[in-house]
Amino acid sequence: MPIYAYRCTDCGHAQDVLQKMSDSPLTDCPACGKSTYAKQVTAAGFQLKGSGWYVTDFRNNGTKPASAAAPSDSSGSGSSASGTSTSTPAA
């Protein structure tokens, strides 16, 4: 059963309610008794993971993450820096 967030527009009382999808929405506020209780729009409580979902496949337009390219770039620049320091004359 899903959990719905409700809030009274009159007194501001807020509450999460476990309801069936087929149940009718609550309208009477349990705090003040007025019929100004309304459902709030909330974010989904789950995230889709794994290959085949937008987050993992299409975020970077099909390019590989920068972390995979970083080791090859740092090792290339590190070798040229060490080569420069050894070719410097001591005199």
Side-chain angles (χ1 to χ4, degrees):
M1 280 194 288
I3 299 172
Y4 296 102
Y6 283 89
R7 182 175 175 87
C8 180
T9 56
D10 192 48
C11 70
H13 175 76
Q15 183 178 6
D16 293 340
V17 180
L18 184 67
Q19 283 185 299
K20 292 182 181 179
M21 293 180 74
S22 60
D23 289 347
S24 59
L26 301 176
T27 56
D28 296 332
C29 176
C32 68
K34 295 183 181 176
S35 60
T36 55
Y37 216 40
K39 252 187 219 184
Q40 292 182 304
V41 177
T42 58
F46 67 94
Q47 183 178 7
L48 303 173
K49 294 185 177 182
S51 64
W53 302 105
Y54 175 79
V55 171
T56 57
D57 291 342
F58 302 109
R59 181 188 301 177
N60 297 329
N61 297 327
T63 60
K64 291 185 178 181
S67 62
S72 64
D73 291 342
S74 63
S75 64
S77 62
S79 63
S80 65
S82 64
T84 307
S85 64
T86 56
S87 66
T88 308

